[in-house]
Amino acid sequence: MAEITKSRRRDYLDKIQKLRLMDDDFFNKCMEGSTECVELILHIIMDRTDLKVISAQTQHSIKNLQGRSVRLDVLALDDSGRQINIEIQREDKGAGSRRARYHSSILDANLLLAGEDFEKLPETYVIFITEQDVIKKGLPLYRVERCVLETNEAFGDGSHIMYVNGENRDETPLGRLMHDFSCTDPEDMNYQALADRTGYFKRDEKGVNIMCRLLEDMRMEAMQEGIEVGKKEGVLNTVRCLIADGTLSLEKIAAFAGLTYDEVKAIAENK
């Protein structure tokens, strides 16, 4: 594990003080292992105090049958079997209706074992907390449910999607919660559990060290991704030059570059 230089640590300390719960990486770290904070957030958003969170996983990956995976910010389970996914989105494009649909469907696809009765499928909630008013109707909360259009009655399939408008700052519990999500200073927060948790990662030496290591890991991962992209682009440029030269067959170029024939053919056809 590489050591963090003093100058880089100073930069990280400055960044940590600017982080908010509306920043997904910070939110994930704060919620990690804290069923108390997750439960508080769900009580307010879902307006029900009877909900008891028994587990909360962060950065939980689920893959579908085609191999397309999705990484969930928080996946919580309550004592009645409800599966609840909480997502933080600062950009509108990350909280589109089809993404919400996909999150909901991938939860469903992993909840029943082979042969189990469909009626045993538990309720699921996908909750997007967005920095802006994504729906743009000026409401603090939007609840999305399937309904029968001809009768305007709820379909009752147990699937729920919710959008929380992070712009809302009214004096309701939800508005006060969104205020806390925008705070950089724990002392300005309304809810003590959130203030204590964020304060740990901003002011406690152990918590600050955890955040510094997280930021360093993210930096190293971004560097590695950049290196891999650079290598790939270099291979592609070489392949393009060999194709343009015309001396080697596509099969030989593929063997030289470590690509398949179809991949080289696609490059040759500008696909």
Side-chain angles (χ1 to χ4, degrees), residues 126-192:
V126 175
I127 300 172
F128 280 95
I129 302 175
T130 61
E131 187 160 36
Q132 309 297 325
D133 182 2
V134 172
I135 309 297
K136 303 190 185 305
K137 298 296 181 181
L139 298 176
L141 179 68
Y142 303 92
R143 292 174 293 180
V144 182
E145 307 277 345
R146 287 190 178 95
C147 70
V148 180
L149 294 178
E150 285 71 20
T151 64
N152 200 30
E153 294 177 313
F155 189 48
D157 62 349
S159 173
H160 313 273
I161 295 172
M162 305 176 77
Y163 284 85
V164 183
N165 176 7
E167 292 184 22
N168 175 43
R169 298 287 191 281
D170 60 25
E171 286 303 312
T172 64
L174 185 58
R176 291 164 65 83
L177 179 66
M178 289 302 97
H179 165 84
D180 286 4
F181 268 67
S182 69
C183 283
T184 57
D185 188 347
E187 291 186 5
D188 293 336
M189 289 185 166
N190 296 298
Y191 295 101
Q192 194 60 47

Side-chain angles (χ1 to χ4, degrees), residues 198-215:
T198 56
Y200 172 73
F201 290 109
K202 285 175 175 281
R203 294 173 180 174
D204 186 277
E205 183 178 358
K206 290 183 179 178
V208 169
N209 286 339
I210 290 171
M211 284 304 305
C212 286
R213 174 48 56 189
L214 173 65
L215 293 173

Side-chain angles (χ1 to χ4, degrees), residues 4 7 50 52 75 129 137 154 216 230 247 252 260 269:
I4 302 173
S7 61
D50 61 328
K52 178 67 176 175
L75 179 61
I129 302 175
K137 298 296 181 181
E216 177 69 3
T247 303
K252 289 184 177 180
T260 67
E269 296 173 353

Side-chain angles (χ1 to χ4, degrees), residues 113-133:
L113 298 175
E116 278 194 291
D117 193 306
F118 289 113
E119 292 304 314
K120 291 185 178 180
L121 196 65
E123 281 189 284
T124 61
Y125 286 79
V126 175
I127 300 172
F128 280 95
I129 302 175
T130 61
E131 187 160 36
Q132 309 297 325
D133 182 2

